């Protein structure tokens, strides 16, 4: 069970049965700009909120309304907040790119055979350093050699279109029971072009704020991706 608040273009979710006080921090927050919102077919009183109609992402949510008297009102409010960026003048024209295919990740001369590795794909604002949401969190197979770790990914993700944002790719592993970022790379939404790209992989730390970034390349390590319309 959860309690939701919709404030401008942000859906704030509080887990639990009780209504939280106005000053409470949400357990989860969704930026609604550009979201796909509609009635879930075959499930009464349910509304889906998705980042793409083409592929599923970790941030997709299905909202089941307890009060059916407010169902239509909530559906209209959610759709209105999602359509904000479609209003003329609200943002620059949207790119026609739809899909981002993560192909291969290659780490050269790693310092160790890391345990419980994963690749986390997120969207953040490089100006403020604010993490907006996570697109994907995928487990990577255990590496067998440090000299050249090669992971065949072949994962499709929707292309985000948030103005001024960038996609961050973090290679994480578990150390002393805690996940930490070891390598990373990024791609600004404004720089996305159709076709293939080889993104240079950098050493940690990963900073979302551009002003604090220290881009130290990890030798010939790279992430290969393809963007399609």
């Amino acid at each position: 069970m959860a309690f939701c608040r919709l404030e401008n273009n942000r859906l704030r979710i509080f887990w639990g049965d009780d209504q939280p006080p106005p000053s409470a921090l949400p357990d989860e927050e969704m930026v609604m700009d550009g979201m796909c919102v509609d009635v879930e077919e075959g499930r009464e009183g349910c509304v889906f909120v998705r980042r793409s109609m083409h592929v599923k992402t970790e941030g997709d949510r299905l909202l089941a309304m307890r009060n059916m008297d407010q169902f239509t009102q909530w559906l209209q409010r959610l759709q209105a907040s999602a359509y904000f960026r479609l209003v003329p003048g609200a943002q620059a024209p949207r790119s026609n790119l739809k899909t981002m295919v993560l192909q291969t990740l290659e780490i050269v001369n790693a310092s160790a055979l890391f345990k419980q590795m994963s690749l986390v794909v997120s969207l953040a604002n490089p100006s403020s350093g604010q993490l907006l949401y996570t697109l994907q969190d995928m487990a990577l197979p255990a590496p067998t050699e440090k000299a050249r770790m090669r992971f065949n990914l072949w994962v499709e993700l929707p292309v985000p279109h948030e103005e001024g944002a960038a996609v961050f790719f973090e290679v994480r592993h578990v150390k002393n029971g805690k996940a930490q970022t070891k390598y990373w790379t990024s791609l600004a939404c404004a720089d996305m072009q159709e076709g293939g790209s080889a993104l240079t992989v950098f050493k940690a730390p990963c900073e979302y704020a551009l002003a604090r970034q220290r881009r130290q390349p990890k030798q010939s390590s790279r992430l290969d991706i393809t963007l399609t319309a």
Side-chain angles (χ1 to χ4, degrees):
M1 306 293 283
F3 182 88
C4 296
R5 286 196 184 114
L6 184 61
E7 300 176 6
N8 297 323
N9 67 330
R10 295 182 181 272
L11 177 64
R12 296 185 167 96
I13 302 174
F14 305 82
W15 300 116
D17 295 332
D18 299 327
Q19 179 174 337
S23 59
L25 296 176
D27 296 298
E28 185 176 332
E29 183 173 280
M30 300 179 69
V31 179
M32 294 296 296
D33 293 350
M35 287 289 197
C36 303
V37 180
D38 208 341
V39 177
E40 180 73 3
E41 190 172 341
R43 300 189 65 173
E44 185 179 5
C46 292
V47 176
F48 67 72
V49 181
R50 299 174 184 162
R51 305 196 188 285
S52 171
M53 296 299 291
H54 304 284
V55 295
K56 293 183 179 180
T57 67
E58 185 179 333
D60 294 347
R61 292 291 179 265
L62 182 64
L63 307 179
M65 307 294 176
R66 284 182 288 181
N67 187 343
M68 290 302 297
D69 293 337
Q70 298 180 2
F71 176 79
T72 301
Q73 179 185 3
W74 264 97
L75 174 62
Q76 293 173 344
R77 292 184 63 208
L78 288 167
Q79 289 178 330
S81 64
Y83 294 158
F84 170 76
R85 284 183 174 266
L86 301 180
V87 177
Q91 69 165 21
R94 292 170 65 91
S95 164
N96 63 346
L97 296 174
K98 294 180 180 177
T99 306
M100 173 169 50
V101 182
L102 311 186
Q103 296 171 294
T104 56
L105 169 66
E106 194 166 281
I107 306 295
V108 178
N109 290 332
S111 57
L113 291 175
F114 305 115
K115 298 180 179 179
Q116 295 178 251
M117 296 183 66
S118 62
L119 178 64
V120 179
V121 185
S122 306
L123 194 74
N125 186 326
S127 297
S128 64
Q130 179 188 11
L131 175 65
L132 301 178
Y133 57 81
T134 299
L135 281 161
Q136 187 83 356
D137 187 345
M138 67 192 82
L140 299 176
T144 56
E145 58 175 320
K146 296 188 295 183
R148 188 175 297 273
M149 295 181 181
R150 183 179 176 86
F151 305 97
N152 293 315
L153 306 172
W154 295 104
V155 173
E156 290 189 7
L157 298 174
V159 173
H161 297 283
E162 279 79 352
E163 187 175 1
V167 180
F168 284 78
F169 308 86
E170 298 177 60
V171 180
R172 297 179 180 175
H173 69 109
V174 175
K175 185 177 181 181
N176 297 326
K178 185 177 181 181
Q180 55 185 251
T181 299
K182 186 65 179 180
Y183 308 110
W184 68 282
T185 187
S186 66
L187 178 62
C189 293
D191 294 336
M192 291 182 176
Q193 296 182 355
E194 187 171 4
S197 300
L199 305 180
T200 299
V201 171
F202 304 103
K203 300 177 183 178
C206 173
E207 290 283 358
Y208 298 137
L210 184 62
R212 297 198 300 267
Q213 288 179 3
R214 293 185 298 167
R215 292 177 172 252
Q216 296 179 293
K218 177 56 179 172
Q219 296 181 327
S220 301
S221 302
R222 72 180 194 277
L223 172 65
D224 296 320
I225 70 171
T226 296
L227 298 168
T228 61

